[in-house]
Amino acid sequence: MSKYSTIHRRQSPSSSPITPTTGILAIDMAKYRSMALLCDYQGQIVEPPFVFGSHATGLADIRQRVTDHQTQQGWDHIVVGIEPTGRYHEPIVRELRVWGWTVRVISPNATALERRADQRRSKTDPIDLMAIARCVLNQRGSEWPLVDGIPAAIRAISRSRRTVVRQATQCKNIIRSILDQTLLEYQGFASDPTQKPVALLNPWTQAGREWIETFPLPEDFADKTRTDLTVFNQCRNLGFSEDTLDQIWMAAQRALPLPAATAEVWREQILRMYTLLGHCEALIARYEADLEALVVQTDALLWLTTPRIAVVCAADLYGELGSIERFPSAKTAIKLAGTDPTVHDSGEQHGRYGAASREGNRHLRAAVTQVGDSLMAHPRPNPYFVAFADRLAARGLSAAQVRVAVGNKFLRVGMAMLQQRQVFAPPTWDGPPLAQDWRKKLRYARNRARGEETWSRLTRDRRAH
């Protein structure tokens, strides 16, 4: 127990203490009509729950109520506990901090545990407010600054990009499911049942997409000859070999017929899905261009010197982390991501580590896991992290645990890189230099000039450091 200095393990030592001269404001956020109550350091309610609007007039009402009681109670400091809902709380938190009040963001999980500990099955706004106030008294919540500025813009674009990527994946899955019912052998053809099926074309290349849009059904080959396929291939400059065209012709001839009504539905569905997929891909490209233009203006440019870390991967992680000044250590960031392993140590069992806690920011957790995947991806994984992963695998960790551990390791290394303004050069690596040229990872020449300005600034900071 010597490593613990306080029973309040979830609060950093720099957090504001609760004293007899501290007033506590609990806020339960909603989109339009939020609620708040005011109490003292003993939990005695001095202002019963009241409703306020999520705008300047509503905040002015809160400030007036708090100021009146501050004079009567002799408070010299106000600590606010706010339970977030979506992103409605962020403008409120910024304004309250401008006033000099300490704001703690309380996780909904923490307030749920407080209600459960109070043995209350009911859930009302006043009960939630009392649970939030008790969380403040029990030193729950975080006082970390919000993600602002360029990191906030990167986060917004990165999350939007991931949403569109999921939509594009859904389009691809629908197209594959339709091909399963129309011309299955586009995705896997074998002239002999004992052979392993091989895809005849790639549905996501320009040539494969154009072919499937023209010949999505077996019936489309009914009035064609084998020579017609060669002519179409040459006219459209698709680049399919004659062997591939022979296999496509064979697959079409032996495909099972489709009912006329169903066939037309599948045809329209494939064309619509390809159209939607094209829109998604164009939007993804625009998002990635915007991310690159923003990343080259930030310290995350240093991460691009890491093998296997590209612009999108760096943007996802940097946008969720924000400024590293928000965290006293990399361990705190790992806990926020919920990728820290759970520990089971009781009685005769000592130091047994379990699965990741999966508490905290799910977006940051996804970014850390994505980094772990990227660093270990073949054909050329990052040698430093491969050596680290091999040591973990030798200890019996599963592939999933190794992937998360590699992401955590980069979080530690990456935060040190930003603090020291250093390129990727781990001090424990005794092999050849691994740092790569960040310029080669940019797709747009117009961003290189901005990147050079940022690189010059980081170089000056490194020399000063």
Side-chain angles (χ1 to χ4, degrees):
M1 293 293 291
S2 59
K3 64 179 179 179
Y4 300 128
S5 59
T6 173
I7 63 171
H8 302 296
R9 293 184 56 211
R10 292 189 177 273
Q11 193 68 22
S12 65
S14 60
S15 298
S16 303
I18 303 298
T19 67
T21 58
T22 301
I24 298 173
L25 176 67
I27 298 179
D28 187 14
M29 282 301 303
K31 191 167 186 177
Y32 301 111
R33 298 175 68 254
S34 305
M35 291 194 70
L37 69 76
L38 197 59
C39 66
D40 60 17
Y41 79 104
Q42 293 180 320
Q44 298 298 317
I45 297 177
V46 298
E47 181 73 32
F50 61 93
V51 177
F52 69 94
S54 302
H55 43 66
T57 304
L59 288 183
D61 179 37
I62 287 181
R63 190 170 192 177
Q64 183 61 50
R65 292 172 187 258
V66 172
T67 301
D68 293 343
H69 288 289
Q70 196 169 4
T71 304
Q72 299 172 8
Q73 303 289 336
W75 295 334
D76 59 11
H77 186 55
I78 304 297
V79 176
V80 182
I82 183 168
E83 183 184 63
T85 303
R87 294 292 167 190
Y88 316 141
H89 69 291
E90 292 190 358
I92 306 296
V93 170
R94 291 190 186 95
E95 187 66 19
L96 296 180
R97 284 177 173 165
V98 168
W99 297 348
W101 296 358
T102 298
V103 182
R104 291 184 188 165
V105 178
I106 310 294
S107 167
N109 291 336
T111 57
L113 289 174
E114 283 292 340
R115 290 196 308 270
R116 196 175 306 160
D118 203 25
Q119 298 183 350
R120 288 177 181 250
R121 290 182 174 271
S122 302
K123 186 184 185 304
T124 64
D125 289 336
I127 290 176
D128 285 344
L129 287 172
M130 289 186 282
I132 294 170
R134 287 198 299 274
C135 286
V136 175
L137 288 172
N138 293 331
Q139 297 284 52
R140 302 286 186 183
S142 67
E143 297 178 12
W144 298 327
L146 296 173
V147 178
D148 273 321
I150 292 180
I154 291 176
R155 182 183 66 182
I157 296 173
S158 179
R159 291 185 180 182
S160 297
R161 176 191 168 277
R162 288 199 295 270
T163 300
V164 180
V165 167
R166 286 193 292 269
Q167 292 175 344
T169 302
Q170 290 175 349
C171 291
K172 291 182 178 181
N173 291 338
I174 292 174
I175 290 172
R176 285 194 180 276
S177 68
I178 295 174
L179 292 178
D180 288 343
Q181 302 174 69
T182 56
L183 261 170
L184 174 64
E185 291 187 306
Y186 273 158
Q187 304 178 77
F189 174 86
S191 57
D192 191 318
T194 61
Q195 297 177 349
K196 182 179 179 180
V198 178
L200 296 178
L201 44 78
N202 184 347
W204 320 128
T205 63
Q206 182 61 35
R209 180 179 302 189
E210 190 168 345
W211 187 279
I212 293 177
E213 287 178 337
T214 307
F215 303 107
L217 307 174
E219 287 76 3
D220 297 323
F221 295 87
D223 57 347
K224 298 290 188 294
T225 65
R226 171 62 183 82
T227 305
D228 293 333
L229 301 189
T230 299
V231 173
F232 179 79
N233 181 49
Q234 293 174 347
C235 291
R236 300 294 182 92
N237 196 24
L238 301 181
F240 293 121
S241 67
E242 289 300 318
D243 290 341
T244 300
L245 295 178
D246 288 339
Q247 293 170 344
I248 291 176
W249 179 254
M250 184 184 299
Q253 296 305 309
R254 67 187 188 185
L256 297 174
L258 295 173
T262 306
E264 290 307 312
V265 171
W266 291 146
R267 186 193 306 277
E268 289 299 321
Q269 281 288 86
I270 283 184
L271 295 177
R272 290 169 182 170
M273 286 299 105
Y274 268 128
T275 301
L276 181 56
L277 178 60
H279 292 323
C280 290
E281 290 174 343
L283 191 54
I284 290 170
R286 291 178 59 184
Y287 280 141
E288 292 179 353
D290 293 342
L291 288 175
E292 183 176 293
L294 292 173
V295 166
V296 296
Q297 303 177 53
T298 68
D299 302 348
L301 193 64
L302 292 166
W303 287 350
L304 297 185
T305 64
T306 307
R308 298 297 309 177
I309 296 296
V311 171
V312 171
C313 192
D316 286 347
L317 184 59
Y318 189 79
E320 297 301 335
L321 276 180
S323 172
I324 58 173
E325 282 76 18
R326 298 175 66 228
F327 306 100
S329 66
K331 183 179 180 180
T332 310
I334 291 172
K335 285 188 175 181
L336 176 64
T339 52
D340 55 315
T342 54
V343 183
H344 303 274
D345 190 342
S346 178
E348 299 298 326
Q349 296 182 352
H350 298 287
R352 186 169 64 88
Y353 289 90
S357 66
R358 299 185 66 82
E359 300 289 345
N361 187 331
R362 61 185 178 89
H363 298 286
L364 178 56
R365 182 162 58 253
V368 171
T369 305
Q370 177 188 1
V371 167
D373 284 336
S374 181
L375 291 169
M376 299 300 296
H378 291 285
R380 291 183 293 178
N382 188 307
Y384 174 74
F385 291 98
V386 168
F388 174 70
D390 289 343
R391 293 195 297 271
L392 296 181
R395 288 165 45 187
L397 272 69
S398 67
Q401 290 174 319
V402 169
R403 179 183 60 180
V404 174
V406 168
N408 289 341
K409 181 69 171 178
F410 179 80
L411 204 51
R412 296 178 186 275
V413 173
M415 290 184 68
M417 290 169 62
L418 299 189
Q419 289 170 346
Q420 301 169 15
R421 299 295 193 265
Q422 293 289 340
V423 299
F424 183 73
T428 58
W429 175 251
D430 56 1
L434 297 175
Q436 297 178 336
D437 186 356
W438 56 268
R439 299 167 186 84
K440 295 181 179 180
K441 297 186 178 182
L442 301 184
R443 298 177 58 186
Y444 302 96
R446 63 179 179 272
N447 294 325
R448 292 182 182 175
R450 294 180 180 176
E452 293 292 352
E453 294 176 3
T454 304
W455 192 254
S456 299
R457 173 178 60 82
L458 295 173
T459 302
R460 291 193 301 268
D461 292 347
R462 180 168 62 251
R463 291 170 180 170
H465 182 79

